[in-house]
Amino acid sequence: MTGASPHLDTGSEHRGSARSGGVPPASIRVTEVLAALSLTTDLATGVPFEKGLATCLVATALAERIGMDQPDRRVVFQAALLGAIGCTSRASENAASFADDIAFQRAYHVLDPGDAPVYAAQLAQFGSWAPGFQPAVRERLVEMTPEQGSAAVRSVCEVSRALGPRLGLPDAAVLALTEVKERWDGLGKPEHLGGENISLPGRIVHVAEQAVLAATDLGRRGAVDELRRRAGGHLDPDLVAAFAAGEIWDCLDVPDALAAVMRAEPGVPVYIRPAERLELCSALAVVVDLKGRWLLGHSAHVAGLAHGAAKLSGLSAADIDTLSAAAMLHDIGRVGVSSAIWDRPGPLGAGEWERVRLHTYWTDRVLQRCPGLADLREIASGHHECLDGSGYHRGVRGHDLSKSARILAAADVFAALTEARPYRPAHSPDAAAGILMSAATTGRLDTAACAAVVEAAGLRKPRTEYPCGLTEREVEVLRLAARGLSNRLIAAELVLSERTVGHHLAHIYDKTGRRTRAGAAVFAMEHGLMPE
């Protein structure tokens, strides 16, 4: 993309937010926030919207059918709801290899290497989303070694292990999340577990997910036949038999899947105050920011600027909390757009721009769906609106934009400008401030909001120490590794030898306990080391 591209660049296109959705709820059920994450991962994996909710209902019903006690059913419930939490961990790599990471994930979910004729037919169709590149896409999958496949899935597992505890999940649920790509016959990844070496919650989630996916394409009767075909290969045969024998499908015959999930939650629901939801929102933001190599830490960056500007602008404590949470979640709709677009160094076509413009719609849709976050939707999903009505996706004007909305708009632009993008280097704070105030002068952004954001940016203090005993040089290496640069490219960027970079990475992995690029990226975002 070129200099003043509107794609996450200048205030000419990157601005705005709409009016607040109302008074925040007195208390928020944690599962409502987790449901928002489930809906977000549906977008990222190309499955039908609310597939995660359906999987949760089916898995919980199956767990009850086989007589699991309440604590164990709760583990199944949580693991099924968040089964795709690590789905963005390799979005950029998958887009680079398979043309579209979202289409790839949808196809990969149902591949069955344990049944040779079926697998051959699946491979014949694999890559159909990229007609001009289908042979190359298929070849990349076929040529992937078992070691490479396991390494890729370990990224998913490391993200699940990092984020699960932040979301309040018990160890048993986190374990099940790390087993989502394992198989009963041992042909899964990353550890090639088999049989009862896979936890029972993990095996239940496998059956539930395949049932929901198959029902989408084949109907319920066809889905049961598909489960039976996979029994003893992909799936635990006893669980398939229990599913086929029971009226499990009845749990999906409801007018509102989310309401049904709330009713089905085993045990006592957990509630938090609106001021306490920011930590959950920040974990969700990490999943979103993993969507592109150049987006790491963007959501927290915007939230920090918005928080500082809101304080300078005299907003109440409650309004500041709401704005901070909305800022963390403003880009959740990004995951519905391929990383091939977010990572592209050149210009976008008209069709790709339409996909980009839809990301605010999806942010709105997810937040609107979840009562515990609905008060954030108008602020969060309107971050590309502008005062003169030329923004998207609603095209509202200044009189429909609250003070919080205007602050978020300005914070989003300033953050994007001061972050590097694949089509340009980062602007200096002074240059970004000039561009931001120019957008205010032309009537696109609010002048007072822009001034508050610039002032808030100037109040940020430089880091004097880093977590886990990391040195400044190690942090520099970590930032580049998190973006997926090879040792050779890191060495060129920092004017070091590849061997020295290798030593730094070994120290970084030892100190942080992370072993993959995605894991390193999550660590960097968790500790405010991205962007820089």
Side-chain angles (χ1 to χ4, degrees), residues 132-201:
F133 303 95
Q134 185 174 7
V137 167
R138 184 167 54 241
E139 186 175 336
R140 288 183 189 123
L141 178 69
V142 172
E143 291 184 346
M144 184 180 292
T145 66
E147 292 76 16
Q148 290 171 327
S150 291
V153 177
R154 285 194 181 92
S155 293
V156 177
C157 296
E158 192 158 61
V159 169
S160 298
R161 280 193 293 269
L163 295 181
R166 291 182 60 182
L167 296 169
L169 303 187
D171 290 345
V174 175
L175 174 62
L177 293 177
T178 67
E179 298 171 333
V180 294
K181 298 302 181 187
E182 299 290 357
R183 291 171 51 102
W184 177 262
D185 57 13
L187 296 178
K189 301 176 180 64
E191 304 302 334
H192 307 289
L193 302 176
E196 295 184 358
N197 289 323
I198 305 170
S199 70
L200 181 55

Side-chain angles (χ1 to χ4, degrees), residues 192-400:
H192 307 289
L193 302 176
E196 295 184 358
N197 289 323
I198 305 170
S199 70
L200 181 55
R203 299 186 331 254
I204 291 173
V205 172
H206 293 169
V207 172
E209 179 180 59
Q210 290 303 316
V212 171
L213 289 173
T216 300
D217 298 328
L218 305 172
R220 292 182 180 180
R221 182 175 297 178
V224 173
D225 291 340
E226 175 67 6
L227 293 184
R228 287 176 172 145
R229 186 190 66 76
R230 290 176 181 258
H234 184 181
L235 306 176
D236 181 335
D238 291 337
L239 290 177
V240 170
F243 183 100
E247 298 298 325
I248 304 298
W249 293 119
D250 291 352
C251 67
L252 298 182
D253 295 329
V254 293
D256 186 329
L258 180 56
V261 165
M262 297 300 113
R263 292 192 299 271
E265 181 177 9
V268 179
V270 177
Y271 288 84
I272 57 175
R273 295 187 298 273
E276 297 172 317
R277 67 181 163 183
L278 188 59
E279 173 59 22
L280 295 178
C281 291
S282 66
L284 205 165
V286 167
V287 174
V288 172
D289 288 359
L290 283 170
K291 182 67 182 177
R293 300 178 190 274
W294 303 87
L295 304 175
L296 303 179
H298 173 72
S299 297
H301 190 188
V302 172
L305 289 170
H307 182 274
K311 290 182 69 174
L312 292 169
S313 300
L315 268 63
S316 69
D319 285 344
I320 292 174
D321 288 339
T322 298
L323 173 55
S324 296
M328 279 292 187
L329 301 185
H330 76 284
D331 263 345
I332 57 176
R334 274 186 189 276
V335 301
V337 180
S338 173
S339 294
I341 290 177
W342 299 126
D343 290 343
R344 181 165 303 174
L348 300 180
E352 291 163 327
W353 265 115
E354 286 306 308
R355 293 180 67 183
V356 167
R357 290 166 66 89
L358 277 175
H359 82 276
T360 58
Y361 162 79
W362 283 113
T363 293
D364 180 77
R365 180 88 181 271
V366 170
L367 297 180
Q368 183 183 29
R369 190 71 182 87
C370 302
L373 299 174
D375 63 304
L376 309 179
R377 59 178 284 254
E378 297 292 346
I379 298 173
S381 68
H383 63 278
H384 284 286
E385 304 291 354
C386 56
L387 300 184
D388 62 6
S390 62
Y392 61 88
H393 62 284
R394 297 186 189 89
V396 298
R397 291 184 173 271
H399 56 79
D400 289 317

